[in-house]
Amino acid sequence: MLEVINVSAGYGRGDVIHDISFTAVRGEIYLLLGTNGAGKTTTFRVVTGILPLSSGRVVIEGVDLWKKPEKAKMMVGYLPEGERVYPNLSVYKNLLFFSRIYGVPEGQINELLKEFGLYEHRDKKAGELSRGLRKRLALARALLHDPEVLVLDEPFSNLDVPSVMELRERIIEMLKEEKIVLFSTHILSELQHFEGVNCRVGIIRDGKLILEEKLENLISLLRSVEVVLTVTNKALALRVLKEKGYNTRAEGRNIVVSVSSYASEVPEITSILAENGVGLLQVRPKEVPLEKLFMELSRGNRTHRRKHSTT
Amino acid sequence: MRPEMKALVEKEWWGLRDNYSQLFSGIGMIIFITALSVLVPPTPQSSYAVYHQITSNPELFGVSGEIVRSLGRWVFNFGAMVAQIPVVFGITIYIVIYSYLANSILSEKTNRTIEVLFSTSLHESEIIASKMIMGAFLGIGLVILAFLINTMGIEAGFHHYAGTWWMPTRSYLFLMVLFSGAFSALAFPVALVVGMRGSKVLMASGTFVVFIPIGVLIFASRFSATDYVRTMLLIAIAGAGLAVLLTLLSRRIINRLAFITN
């Protein structure tokens, strides 16, 4: 288990992240979502032991990261944003260097290179590789010592579509191996690709974790629909639906009703209106755009805050 | 030395060895300067001035008037190789070590590979120390190479013209080894401060340190050979002292935050 407990940290001129707490368990993705500058990278730098803490603790599998850094860091693999490899060293030497740092037998390097499709490029300088291949090399390096926790900072940025798909599959593969995967993104649409996976999402804004939610719940929240109704008697429809506890509002000649599920609630609304003598001329869903909701959360316009346990 | 530290030093060596331009620019410069000083024909006036300096300063050049006469016009080359070229070597070696160290530190910082290193069990002082060790190897190697090439060049010319071998003087050894050594040492803290704190602009400014001895070198050409050697001795001591002082000060700025760009 990875525990981040009341962590605050910064770069010497005040804290950038404030009192952040979350936990991630084996076989789970913890996805940190936030706009640029929200504090995602700083949080990951703290989790990986790069940036000293102002306060709080980071505990990895029961080991305090700042009390026993050598032991704790052996359990973490880190892929910073971009392709942070040594451009003047060959692909092989990039891995050889880190294999010596982590005490990994040299024999494993070729296996890893083959697994990541880099074997034929092993003697090329890393700087001569395409961006996708460099990212693959950086990921191979992060996985070299078979870490329990993999931390990926904006792993999908600046990657072509096949590389993104491949990386996504690798992340899901790692969950099957009961690893803990942390990754950050500012691309909201990335969420949908992890639907059905054991994944929790933390939304970070101004260095504070403002929302933590199971991905499936968040997606359902994001997909909560507003239904636009065109009726024969708008005033009566508004009144009866309000009486039945629906959140309604008038919008031009139509009524907008918030429902959590289109399939189950629209028939109910239809029958309520029919029972009260209101003719229903048209029903259509009005989906809340993902980006709009995210921006609302990021700007703090919504006060919604739910905390779920890690189990 | 921890195995992780050994791996770091080895990585520095790979980087240096695979980056031929950086390594061979220093070696090439030394060979070029030596070849130039052996082969460039002097004017009668410069030969006369050097002849006068050499005969009146036997403790620096270690030759009698009779031998100097046998050197003919090559006496100018001999004088330059004994008194001036060692100082040029010192400056060249400073530039090579400075550019290697500052580039190495700055590129780790700007490429953010330093973050990956910090995510391992390596300490920042080990990362810096590995670069210093490789810089020291580079400096010692270049000083030895410069000494061997220049001395061999002097011996070849001397034997050709005078028919005998030249015995290197203490002043020559001082200029060749101590002056270069002092300037190599100065390159470390300057590169460390610039590399850690600096931008590319600041990095370029670190090169300007060499203008101090170059300026003195031009100014000191009016001095007698003995005064010239004394002046260079003073510069070497000041360089070594500055190196120690900056090293002590730079210990304060070696902290993790200085490496991490937000």
Side-chain angles (χ1 to χ4, degrees):
Chain A
M1 191 199 289
L2 167 76
E3 297 165 272
V4 177
I5 307 159
N6 303 118
V7 161
S8 297
Y11 299 90
R13 297 186 198 105
D15 288 340
V16 173
I17 54 169
H18 313 273
D19 201 27
I20 284 190
S21 296
F22 64 86
T23 54
V25 293
R26 283 177 175 273
E28 183 186 55
I29 292 177
Y30 192 94
L31 200 160
L32 206 53
L33 196 64
T35 52
N36 289 328
K40 303 186 296 291
T41 299
T42 305
T43 305
F44 282 178
R45 281 170 173 170
V46 164
V47 170
T48 49
I50 293 168
L51 192 65
L53 308 172
S54 305
S55 61
R57 286 169 70 208
V58 176
V59 183
I60 302 164
E61 297 289 342
V63 182
D64 191 304
L65 179 64
W66 289 93
K67 283 185 183 158
K68 290 183 180 171
E70 287 186 15
K71 194 176 175 191
K73 284 178 174 182
M74 279 301 287
M75 292 188 269
V76 180
Y78 178 47
L79 179 72
E81 191 183 355
E83 310 84 39
R84 308 302 174 186
V85 292
Y86 288 101
N88 291 328
L89 296 187
S90 69
V91 169
Y92 185 82
K93 278 182 179 159
N94 261 284
L95 294 184
L96 179 62
F97 167 56
F98 282 95
S99 75
R100 291 183 180 167
I101 297 283
Y102 288 117
V104 174
E106 197 179 331
Q108 287 184 18
I109 296 172
N110 282 335
E111 283 175 32
L112 202 65
L113 286 172
K114 282 174 190 164
E115 193 188 325
F116 279 81
L118 290 164
Y119 189 76
E120 60 270 36
H121 305 287
R122 67 199 292 271
D123 297 321
K124 275 187 197 166
K125 284 191 175 180
E128 293 168 5
L129 298 178
S130 68
R131 190 171 266 174
L133 288 177
R134 281 204 302 270
K135 185 74 109 184
R136 249 193 249 178
L137 173 61
L139 186 64
R141 181 200 57 212
L143 294 171
L144 183 67
H145 57 300
D146 194 23
E148 301 304 319
V149 182
L150 184 66
V151 181
L152 311 164
D153 191 5
E154 298 275 0
F156 303 109
S157 60
N158 300 320
L159 274 187
D160 54 23
V161 176
S163 303
V164 167
M165 287 167 71
E166 194 186 304
L167 181 57
R168 222 180 267 143
E169 280 169 23
R170 277 198 182 279
I171 291 172
I172 293 169
E173 273 298 308
M174 288 193 67
L175 295 184
K176 290 178 188 161
E177 295 170 21
E178 289 293 296
K179 307 278 184 191
I180 301 167
V181 181
L182 261 71
F183 80 85
S184 66
T185 185
H186 65 276
I187 306 163
L188 202 64
S189 57
E190 202 49 58
L191 292 178
Q192 65 193 358
H193 300 290
F194 292 94
E195 209 174 344
V197 172
N198 186 14
C199 177
R200 272 183 313 128
V201 181
I203 295 184
I204 190 167
R205 174 172 59 90
D206 298 333
K208 290 175 185 162
L209 202 62
I210 55 161
L211 176 82
E212 193 179 301
E213 191 66 79
K214 278 269 189 194
L215 179 63
E216 62 203 54
N217 295 340
L218 189 68
I219 285 179
S220 133
L221 177 73
L222 293 171
R223 282 186 184 154
S224 68
V225 287
E226 288 186 323
V227 184
V228 182
L229 308 172
T230 310
V231 291
T232 51
N233 189 337
K234 198 170 84 175
L236 180 60
L238 278 169
R239 187 168 55 80
V240 295
L241 288 173
K242 270 185 185 165
E243 278 169 9
K244 291 286 179 185
Y246 282 99
N247 184 10
T248 58
R249 69 172 191 276
E251 196 174 89
R253 289 191 297 175
N254 302 322
I255 294 171
V256 179
V257 186
S258 296
V259 294
S260 56
S261 164
Y262 187 88
S264 65
E265 289 186 50
V266 168
E268 193 185 320
I269 290 169
T270 311
S271 57
I272 292 168
L273 293 175
E275 282 165 16
N276 289 278
V278 180
L280 186 61
L281 304 174
Q282 193 189 30
V283 186
R284 60 184 169 85
K286 181 182 179 184
E287 226 171 298
V288 177
L290 234 55
E291 281 74 13
K292 189 184 166 196
L293 179 69
F294 176 63
M295 289 312 288
E296 281 182 7
L297 286 167
S298 294
R299 287 181 192 136
N301 292 348
R302 285 197 178 211
T303 51
H304 178 93
R305 182 185 170 93
R306 280 193 230 167
K307 281 261 181 183
H308 278 243
S309 65
T310 55
T311 51
Chain B
M1 192 190 282
R2 294 204 307 149
E4 292 91 333
M5 177 82 182
K6 269 188 192 169
L8 266 174
V9 175
E10 198 173 22
K11 189 261 293 178
E12 288 301 316
W13 166 238
W14 292 336
L16 189 63
R17 190 188 59 187
D18 294 348
N19 195 356
Y20 302 105
S21 59
Q22 203 167 31
L23 186 62
F24 289 113
S25 65
I27 297 171
M29 195 82 130
I30 287 167
I31 294 170
F32 175 73
I33 293 167
T34 310
L36 211 63
S37 42
V38 172
L39 300 173
V40 165
T43 61
Q45 289 79 6
S46 63
S47 291
Y48 174 77
V50 173
Y51 174 83
H52 180 71
Q53 284 281 9
I54 293 173
T55 48
S56 55
N57 294 285
E59 73 282 3
L60 170 59
F61 296 98
V63 287
S64 64
E66 191 184 333
I67 289 179
V68 174
R69 275 192 294 278
S70 69
L71 293 175
R73 287 177 69 178
W74 196 75
V75 73
F76 171 83
N77 305 71
F78 172 71
M81 288 171 87
V82 171
Q84 285 180 316
I85 299 303
V87 175
V88 177
F89 280 150
I91 293 163
T92 307
I93 293 167
Y94 168 89
I95 293 172
V96 172
I97 296 174
Y98 167 77
S99 96
Y100 156 68
L101 281 174
N103 266 314
S104 180
I105 296 168
L106 198 62
S107 66
E108 290 267 19
K109 194 175 163 178
T110 51
N111 290 338
R112 285 173 59 183
T113 43
I114 198 93
E115 282 186 38
V116 184
L117 294 181
F118 284 161
S119 72
T120 69
S121 59
L122 290 165
H123 193 264
E124 48 264 47
S125 59
E126 288 179 312
I127 296 165
I128 292 295
S130 67
K131 293 182 189 302
M132 295 294 177
I133 289 169
M134 194 40 64
F137 277 130
L138 182 64
I140 292 167
L142 287 176
V143 169
I144 291 171
L145 187 76
F147 175 76
L148 288 176
I149 290 178
N150 195 52
T151 308
M152 277 159 56
I154 294 171
E155 294 296 355
F158 202 84
H159 192 262
H160 177 77
Y161 289 101
T164 180
W165 298 109
W166 176 67
M167 179 61 72
T169 60
R170 201 190 299 171
S171 298
Y172 170 73
L173 292 175
F174 151 71
L175 286 176
M176 200 67 238
V177 180
L178 285 187
F179 187 86
S180 300
F183 264 73
S184 304
L186 184 60
F188 287 80
V190 174
L192 184 61
V193 172
V194 169
M196 285 183 68
R197 281 287 159 103
S199 59
K200 293 267 179 197
V201 177
L202 189 61
M203 203 177 124
S205 69
T207 315
F208 288 110
V209 172
V210 297
F211 284 105
I212 301 163
I214 289 173
V216 175
L217 189 68
I218 294 164
F219 187 68
S221 58
R222 298 174 183 182
F223 298 172
S224 72
T226 311
D227 288 343
Y228 166 80
V229 172
R230 280 183 191 146
T231 309
M232 288 306 152
L233 176 65
L234 277 174
I235 292 176
I237 291 168
L242 192 61
V244 173
L245 187 70
L246 281 174
T247 305
L248 291 173
L249 287 175
S250 63
R251 284 181 66 188
R252 284 182 166 204
I253 65 159
I254 300 176
N255 66 68
R256 202 159 271 226
L257 294 180
F259 285 107
I260 304 169
T261 318
N262 183 17

